Amino acid sequence: YRYGKFFLFRKHQTTFKARIIDVLDEGKLVLEKDNGRIEAFQFKEISFVGSEKKLINQSNQMLLSLRCNYCNP
């Protein structure tokens, strides 16, 4: 599932684009970032964000909400 296609992931406050290339025997998820760098992550070390389109929609909804709150205090 989601193998080989680029999606957005988050580690701490940093969002990055990567694709799943392997899962190691000990359970680490191996990702290839869009810059070509390969990294392995422990369970719950990163989170799946989704597609860029989903992230843009979430950002637009937050901005709209902030504007509405600002205009109608």
Side-chain angles (χ1 to χ4, degrees), residues 8-24:
L8 295 175
F9 294 86
R10 182 174 291 132
K11 181 177 179 180
H12 304 297
Q13 297 299 320
T14 304
T15 301
F16 58 94
K17 188 187 273 189
R19 63 182 175 173
I20 300 170
I21 59 171
D22 200 4
V23 178
L24 301 179

Side-chain angles (χ1 to χ4, degrees), residues 30-45:
V30 182
L31 301 180
E32 178 185 6
K33 293 185 174 181
D34 62 349
N35 64 5
R37 185 173 178 178
I38 296 174
E39 291 186 49
F41 297 93
Q42 297 282 359
F43 181 67
K44 293 196 175 186
E45 185 178 359

